[in-house]
Amino acid sequence: MRFIHAADIHLDSPLTGLSAYQDAPADMLRGATRDAFSNLINEAIELQVDFVVLAGDLYDGGWKDHNTGIYFCREMGRLKKAGIPVFAVFGNHDAESEMTKKLQLPDNVVLFDSRKASTVTIDHLKVALHGRSFKEAATTENLARSYPDPRPGMFNIGVLHTALGVHSTHANYAPCSIEELYAKGYQYWALGHVHDFQVWQGTCTVVFPGNLQGRHIRESGARGAVLVTADETGVQQIDRLYVDVLRWHCLEVDAGPCGTLAEVVRAIGRELEGFMAHNTCTLPTAMRIIVAGKTAAHGELFGMEAQLRAEVLALAAAHGTDRLWIEKVKTTTTAAADSEVIRARGDALSDLAQLLEQAELDDDFIKSLQTDLMQMVGKVPLELQQAVPYFKDIRAGELAGLVHEIRPGLLSQLASME
């Protein structure tokens, strides 16, 4: 038999920050989660799989637009026409959704109850599926402990939305351990919640398929589900099904050899050309460029991320491709001349370095700086305020970190002007 295991669809997930970029392919990005899910349904029908397992987070939190749920029902209806049943649990995001409480799903969809773990069987395949949905978003109970014992003589699948207790980047919902899952005696655990593909092979097979579609730079690379082939002896093969329609990629550029902003732009151009020459993926790419390294251009780069992005957009446009969008250019460089070297000079620049160090601890200076900067913050559009992390610090009066960050760049810039 063959079945598809998918999770973390996050239908119509909002993509924040897009309105800050007039050039953003907003329509494509907003529709990406639906398009990826439709690709998954197409694969299930074309492959004629025996069933589909959805391990939670079908929706994306407190959405009240029923068009999202209607779309999901329509896709489930396509599977019904193909004779493919679906077995699903609700995850933490589904527990927040109004749609999960009101929409009537097609009868080929079996949704596991949230009150207790239960079992459904597919007798002609000798398959038993065990699962439990989230009732509340912040479910911190170990749900795996309540799952039923395996059915003898059947291929047992546990469907569970869990952080597995090992992923610090995800909320620790329904925590459990690999050892607990192994001990249950099932043949396969279909997990959801963690958005990266992972497989454990022990006394049984435990899988996170990852999410179907990357939604931001932290979800870079290929995304999709898994196709599981099994027989009476257990899992025989696991194949990844890539169904995403757009991929996120982080391109790192070493600015170490660069002395000016113009040289940094040229370095980015070379790396960008190399990526485009060797990238075999035909899907559109949303790219973030990270400029790093200890460089003499550090001072000139400070505050120039918007200009850098404009320069890079021009480079990408010159290549005539419509498959690449530059989401952001971020600088993480450090000054070539560090503060100790500048302090040792014993001149006016070293005096300024000392004053700037003292300014970080000067409460009166910090308060005065906050007063001046708040005049600017009040005039900036809300979208930009949310996109620039400094604005939150300015409002809170926590400006020592900002002064500390500006200091080496300012000193480096002044030193380069001598």
Side-chain angles (χ1 to χ4, degrees), residues 253 255 258-269 291 295 297 301 308 331:
V253 178
C258 304
T260 65
L261 185 146
E263 290 178 4
V264 171
V265 171
R266 287 194 288 272
I268 294 173
V291 181
T295 173
L301 290 174
L308 270 177
T331 58

Side-chain angles (χ1 to χ4, degrees), residues 61-116:
W63 278 79
K64 296 181 180 179
D65 183 359
H66 276 65
N67 286 323
T68 305
I70 292 168
Y71 161 79
F72 178 71
C73 289
R74 184 168 63 246
E75 295 302 291
M76 294 299 95
R78 291 175 58 202
L79 292 179
K80 179 179 178 179
K81 289 180 181 178
I84 300 174
V86 180
F87 303 90
V89 297
F90 282 157
N92 53 292
H93 281 277
D94 303 311
E96 298 174 352
S97 174
E98 290 294 320
M99 289 179 291
T100 61
K101 302 178 180 70
K102 298 177 181 178
L103 283 175
Q104 185 68 40
L105 298 173
D107 60 11
N108 65 316
V109 180
V110 176
L111 178 63
F112 287 96
D113 195 274
S114 62
R115 291 168 294 183
K116 65 177 183 178

Side-chain angles (χ1 to χ4, degrees), residues 273-350:
E273 286 181 5
F275 170 81
M276 295 173 69
H278 296 97
N279 181 34
T280 58
C281 178
T282 59
L283 296 179
T285 300
M287 178 180 287
R288 177 176 294 184
I289 295 174
I290 306 292
V291 181
K294 193 171 185 177
T295 173
H298 176 72
E300 196 174 347
L301 290 174
F302 184 82
M304 300 299 289
E305 291 180 343
Q307 180 175 330
L308 270 177
R309 181 175 181 273
E311 298 264 15
V312 176
L313 284 171
L315 291 173
H319 285 282
T321 178
D322 58 357
R323 295 190 298 109
L324 177 65
W325 174 61
I326 307 300
E327 176 252 5
K328 182 181 290 187
V329 177
K330 185 175 181 180
T331 58
T332 62
T333 56
T334 55
D338 59 33
S339 57
E340 300 228 343
V341 172
I342 290 175
R343 275 200 302 270
R345 292 166 49 132
D347 57 9
L349 195 61
S350 64

